[in-house]
């Protein structure tokens, strides 16, 4: 059984670890349903380092990718991704994958764990004679999925990239800040849950640092880890297919409902066969299924219309605790595939009433943009008292850093100054109370209060949840905006934090716990 670089975290924190597809995988941490709901409502983090990664570089990299996949990689801009199928000469699906373009002649694929070795041999066979270097970099690569409506807020506070400009199926080569330093990584706006989210690709040795940092900064927003049970229910609810369950070499993209990834104007392996299949039409179709009663749909359950077998369940279960209904995915003959068609599904040698239903079972929110805008801390200035500032002309926004609010604990109240109040740098400009102690917000610069975040009076905990919100805590009209340049930049502030994490800042005694 193989281990991902996060194996020790799973053994420490997961409530169940299983052998799945040859890898030790966390089944769940706090429970399947809780983790599913957290993904839909807040944010979750999932280890997907079992996936395979291939690196293509060289003058013929594009030509090889085009030869192998059904989609059109030539249309990709640098730092853009696409979803595609990898087919054999008969048009059967060998695998589905995500293809990243990192440069004009540099591509990376993410492929399925059960197909990694076979896919790699397939690629090498067809790369023969071409000027391209292909590497299977799976063992040295870690992949983490941060998903949910709060995912951008969590990730933005520790990355250099401006995530507000990163669109769906785009990526950025950037860095993530941890207590050990800045880690180079690739962040893609992709995922397998149907929610706004990101996948973070990094060298395997650094994965535990990023994992820990995301869980730390995401605590005020309700982040939790999720395991393979929630991953399966999330992707099924969103109508995403699983290679080996919902498609394989006996399945073609058109019947699987992913015909949109087939670009017949390009020349790829299986093109002629897929052109014939499209012209002739398919005999079956991937559909959503719903069964009556407290029953569980599982892969392999046959589907009937009267005495005629017309299909088979390929994915389930999606239980009522999550979806409110007993749902699954499967193939049905096209004559019976319309939504609302009454069918029967055989479970434990008995037939039960069921029907074809529309999919996905939940609206996909992959293109939704969160309403809260947050700055990356690397674009801010800081004080040793953990205030941050951002100057735009002479208007200076002031807030409390992520480390500062975490050291205070939950902020219970905040007393803000009146607009128009004159402020002297180095003196208290706002006052508050927290779970740990009362505190003063020390003005980093002198000026006049131009605006205050009035919403904090009724909800001061937003300081914990959104430390780098563009609203900040208040705004000053600075007497001399150049004074901000004398404050700590992010690299200097990060160095200060590393010292504070080694020694108690009130005693200088090394921390023992």
């Amino acid at each position: 059984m193989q281990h991902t670089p996060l194996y020790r975290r799973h053994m420490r924190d997961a409530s169940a670890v299983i052998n799945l597809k040859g890898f030790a995988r966390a089944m769940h941490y706090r429970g399947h349903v809780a983790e599913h709901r957290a993904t839909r409502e807040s944010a979750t983090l999932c280890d997907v380092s079992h996936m395979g990664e291939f690196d293509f570089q060289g003058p013929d990299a594009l030509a090889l990718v085009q030869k192998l996949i059904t989609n059109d990689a030539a249309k990709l801009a640098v730092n853009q991704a696409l979803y595609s199928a990898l087919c054999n000469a008969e048009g059967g699906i060998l695998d589905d994958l995500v293809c990243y373009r990192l440069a004009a002649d540099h591509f990376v694929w993410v492929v399925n764990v059960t197909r990694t070795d076979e896919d790699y041999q397939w690629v090498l066979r067809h790369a023969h004679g071409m000027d391209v270097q292909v590497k299977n970099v799976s063992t040295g690569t870690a992949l983490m999925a941060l998903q949910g409506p709060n995912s951008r807020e969590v990730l933005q506070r520790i990355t250099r990239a401006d995530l507000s400009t990163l669109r769906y199926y785009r990526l950025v080569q950037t860095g993530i800040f941890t207590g050990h330093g800045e880690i180079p990584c690739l962040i893609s706006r992709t995922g397998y849950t149907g929610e706004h989210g990101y996948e973070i690709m990094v060298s395997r040795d650094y994965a535990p640092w990023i994992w820990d940092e995301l869980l730390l900064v995401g605590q005020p927003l309700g982040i939790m880890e999720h395991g393979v049970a929630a991953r399966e229910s999330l992707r099924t609810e969103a109508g995403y297919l699983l290679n080996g369950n919902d498609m394989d070499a006996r399945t073609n993209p058109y019947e699987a409902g992913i015909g949109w990834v087939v670009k017949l104007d390009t020349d790829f392996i299986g093109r002629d066969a897929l052109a014939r299949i499209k012209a002739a039409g398919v005999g079956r179709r991937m559909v959503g299924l719903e069964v009556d009663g407290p029953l569980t749909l599982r892969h392999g359950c046959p589907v009937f219309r009267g005495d005629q077998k017309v299909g088979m369940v390929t994915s389930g279960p999606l239980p009522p605790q999550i979806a409110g209904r007993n749902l699954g995915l499967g193939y049905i003959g096209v004559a019976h595939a319309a939504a609302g068609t009454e069918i029967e599904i055989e479970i434990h040698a008995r037939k039960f009433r069921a029907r074809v239903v529309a999919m996905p079972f939940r609206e996909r929110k992959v293109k939704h943009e969160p309403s809260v805008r947050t700055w990356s801390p690397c674009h801010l200035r800081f004080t040793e008292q953990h205030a941050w500032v951002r100057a735009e002309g002479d208007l200076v926004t002031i807030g409390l850093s992520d480390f500062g609010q975490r050291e205070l604990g939950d902020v219970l109240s905040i007393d803000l100054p009146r607009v128009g109040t004159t402020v002297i740098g180095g003196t208290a400009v706002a006052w508050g109370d927290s779970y740990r102690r009362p505190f003063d917000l020390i003005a980093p610069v002198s000026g006049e209060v131009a605006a205050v975040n009035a919403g904090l009076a009724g909800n001061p905990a937003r300081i914990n949840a959104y430390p780098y919100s563009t609203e900040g805590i208040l705004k000053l009209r600075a007497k001399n905006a150049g004074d901000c340049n004398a404050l700590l930049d992010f690299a200097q502030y990060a160095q200060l934090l590393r010292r504070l994490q080694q020694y108690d800042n009130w005693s200088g005694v090394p921390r023992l716990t």
Side-chain angles (χ1 to χ4, degrees), residues 61 111 116 146 155 221 263 304 417 470:
V111 301
T116 300
L146 176 67
L155 185 55
L221 293 168
K263 310 301 182 188
F304 291 87
T470 54

Side-chain angles (χ1 to χ4, degrees), residues 213-406:
E213 199 73 18
L214 286 168
L215 293 176
L216 178 65
V217 301
Q219 282 180 359
L221 293 168
I223 194 172
M224 70 171 66
E225 308 100 313
H226 88 247
V228 295
R231 185 170 170 83
E232 277 299 287
S233 60
L234 287 161
R235 70 94 183 165
T236 303
E237 188 176 45
Y240 292 144
L241 308 187
L242 176 63
N243 186 274
N245 272 40
D246 305 304
M247 51 187 170
D248 54 31
R250 299 166 296 179
T251 311
N252 67 69
Y254 294 111
E255 60 190 0
I258 59 171
W260 57 273
V261 306
V262 178
K263 310 301 182 188
L264 294 175
D265 55 349
T266 66
D267 188 14
F268 58 86
I269 296 169
R271 177 196 174 280
D272 293 344
L274 288 174
R276 291 193 295 270
I277 291 169
K278 182 179 182 181
V282 296
R284 60 177 184 166
R285 187 177 303 153
M286 172 62 65
V287 298
L289 302 169
E290 179 183 5
V291 63
D292 292 338
L295 302 163
T296 300
L297 296 180
R298 294 197 180 275
H299 178 84
C301 291
V303 178
F304 291 87
R305 189 88 191 276
D307 294 330
Q308 180 186 5
K309 182 180 177 181
V310 296
M312 185 185 77
V313 176
T314 58
S315 277
L318 190 60
Q321 297 95 318
I322 289 171
R325 301 178 288 167
N326 291 291
L327 299 169
L329 306 176
Y331 285 103
I332 299 287
V334 292
H336 315 286
T341 302
E342 295 292 329
I343 54 174
E344 290 181 302
I345 298 178
E346 186 177 290
I347 304 172
H348 301 308
R350 292 180 57 194
K351 292 181 181 178
F352 297 89
R353 289 183 56 187
R355 66 197 57 82
V356 178
V357 293
M359 54 181 288
F361 306 126
R362 181 184 177 92
E363 178 191 3
R364 295 175 185 168
K365 298 181 179 179
V366 292
K367 297 182 180 180
H368 286 205
E369 297 295 340
S371 59
V372 176
R373 179 173 168 82
T374 292
W375 279 313
S376 167
C378 74
H379 303 309
L380 307 176
R381 292 277 179 166
F382 296 84
T383 71
E384 293 187 358
Q385 294 77 34
H386 309 301
W388 60 260
V389 304
R390 180 180 170 95
E392 296 173 291
D394 65 348
L395 188 63
V396 176
T397 305
I398 301 174
L400 188 63
S401 77
D402 182 68
F403 180 87
Q405 58 83 15
R406 194 163 57 242

Side-chain angles (χ1 to χ4, degrees), residues 180-199:
H180 302 272
E182 184 175 356
I183 308 302
C185 65
L186 188 153
I187 297 173
S188 62
R189 175 79 182 279
T190 52
Y192 196 46
T193 65
E195 293 294 333
H196 179 110
Y198 304 88
E199 292 182 310

